[in-house]
Amino acid sequence: MKIGFIGLGNMGAHMARNLAAAGHEVTGFDVAGVTVDGVRNVNSSVAAVKTADAIITMLPNGQILRSVAAEIIPVLSPNACFIDCSTVDVDSARRLAADWPLSVDAPVSGGIGGADAGTLTFMAGGSDAAFAIAAPLFEIMGQKSVHCGASGAGQAAKICNNMILGATMIVTCEAFALADKLGLDRQKMFDVVSTSSGYSWSMNAYCPAPGIGPESPSDNDYQPGFAAELMLKDLRLSQQAAEAVGAATPIGQHATKLYQQFVEDEDGLGKDFSAMLPRFSKLNR
Ligand code: NAD
C-alpha cells in the first residue's frame, strides 16, 4: 500500500518505520523535520498524502488534527482511507468522519515501547468498510485491534479506559502511602493486594512502589513510561466528553483535578504518572 504518515513523533516514528519494514511504501511528514528509516520524507502534509491509499495521522491533539485534515482532504484520492491514531476528543473524530466518511478513529494503548515493538492495541471507530482497510495495518503496528463501533467509538473507549487507569493509579498510590504510615511493609502489601480484590493493572503490572512487582518506571526514578501530563490530557478529554453528554463521573473529575495539581502546581511535569506515590508520601491529611 502507499501510505502517507503525518506526525513522526515519539509514537509515529516507530509506527511508520514498522509499516515500511513490512514492505509498504511510506511517505512521511512532520513539522519538526523528523526523518525515519525506510520512510520517504517530504516537506508538507499534502505531499505526503497525494496518491496515498491510506493516510495515518499521529498528532498531539484534536485542534491540530482538524487543521491537518482541512489541509489534506481536498487532495485525497477518492478511495483513500484516513486513519487517525492520535488521542483526540470524540467530537474531532466525528467531524473528521463527517468530512471524510472513509475514516477510522483508532487511538492506541501500549506507549512508546509498544509502538517500537509493534505491539500496540488499537481501539477503532468507523464503518466496516473503513475498518477492513485499516485492520491489516493495525496488525503490523500492533498485536490487537478492536472495532468498537461507529466513528468516535475508538476515542470513547480510549478515554474511558484511561479514566479508569488514572483513578486506579491514584488510589493505589494513596493506599501505599497509607500502608507506610500504618507500618505495613510495601512488599507484603503488594503480595496481598496483587492476589486479592484490590488488584489492578496499576498494582500488578506497573507497581508505583520501587523494587516491588515487575520492573516499572518507579524502578527508574519515575522516568516515563507514561508521563503525568499525558494522563492529564486523557483525563481532561474524559471530562470534556462527560460534560458534553451529561455523564456523572465524580471520581474521574477528582482524578483530573489531582493530576492537574501535580503537573501544573507541583513537580509532576515530566515524571511518570505513577510518581503520585512519592507525592502522597510527602503529604499529610
Ligand atoms: P509527540 O509530540 O512526540 O508527536 C507528535 C508529532 O506531531 C511531533 O513530532 C510534532 O512535531 C508533530 N506535529 C505537530 N503538528 C504537526 C502538523 N501540523 N503536521 C505534521 N506534524 C505535526 O507525541 P506522541 O507521544 O508521539 O503522541 C502522539 C499521539 O499519541 C498523542 O495524541 C498522544 O496522546 C497519543 N498517545 C501517546 C502515547 C505515549 O506514550 N507517548 C501513548 C498512547 C497515545
Side-chain angles (χ1 to χ4, degrees):
M1 255 190 183
K2 283 189 184 172
I3 299 169
F5 205 114
I6 301 173
L8 303 167
N10 290 319
M11 300 287 290
H14 292 301
M15 294 160 70
R17 195 196 65 239
N18 285 333
L19 289 168
H24 290 293
E25 194 182 310
V26 186
T27 304
F29 172 67
D30 190 295
V31 279
V34 188
T35 58
V36 177
D37 275 357
V39 173
R40 186 171 75 91
N41 285 94
V42 291
N43 57 14
S44 73
S45 297
V46 165
V49 302
K50 261 190 182 169
T51 77
D53 307 308
I55 292 87
I56 303 182
T57 44
M58 194 51 171
L59 296 163
N61 58 50
Q63 196 190 340
I64 295 177
L65 169 67
R66 290 199 302 272
S67 79
V68 168
E71 207 185 321
I72 63 175
I73 282 177
V75 303
L76 295 184
S77 314
N79 293 324
C81 183
F82 193 143
I83 305 162
D84 176 48
C85 295
S86 330
T87 302
V88 302
D89 53 291
V90 175
D91 193 42
S92 290
R94 291 194 174 138
R95 272 207 237 175
L96 172 61
D99 292 343
W100 193 260
L102 200 58
S103 72
V104 185
D105 53 294
V108 303
S109 81
I112 299 166
D116 185 16
T119 55
L120 294 169
T121 295
F122 290 83
M123 30 217 125
S127 66
D128 288 344
F131 183 75
I133 299 170
L137 304 179
F138 296 154
E139 257 170 55
I140 295 166
M141 299 183 283
Q143 59 184 1
K144 189 176 168 65
S145 65
V146 179
H147 189 187
C148 300
S151 298
Q155 298 296 350
K158 169 79 185 178
I159 55 178
C160 288
N161 180 74
N162 279 23
M163 188 174 79
I164 295 171
L165 176 62
T168 47
M169 181 54 83
I170 288 171
V171 76
T172 303
C173 291
E174 67 184 20
F176 266 116
L178 170 62
D180 288 344
K181 290 201 163 87
L182 294 171
L184 170 62
D185 180 70
R186 285 183 170 186
Q187 181 66 53
K188 301 292 178 203
M189 157 99 165
F190 176 84
D191 292 346
V192 171
V193 174
S194 65
T195 54
S196 299
S197 45
Y199 85 89
S200 68
W201 185 87
S202 296
M203 175 61 88
N204 292 38
Y206 204 92
C207 183
I212 294 173
E215 190 165 347
S216 71
S218 65
D219 300 311
N220 190 22
D221 206 20
Y222 297 99
Q223 297 300 308
F226 185 46
E229 59 269 26
L230 287 180
M231 174 49 83
L232 176 60
K233 172 192 169 184
D234 293 357
L235 284 168
R236 280 181 167 147
L237 289 175
S238 77
Q239 294 313 292
Q240 191 184 329
E243 210 169 296
V245 295
T249 55
I251 302 295
Q253 193 175 7
H254 199 60
T256 310
K257 235 184 254 172
L258 285 176
Y259 272 105
Q260 180 177 352
Q261 224 174 308
F262 187 43
V263 169
E264 294 181 354
D265 307 335
E266 300 169 11
D267 60 351
L269 185 69
K271 290 190 177 158
D272 189 72
F273 83 118
S274 62
M276 274 282 168
L277 173 50
R279 175 191 185 272
F280 281 119
S281 297
K282 280 186 258 160
L283 291 177
N284 289 307
R285 197 181 177 87

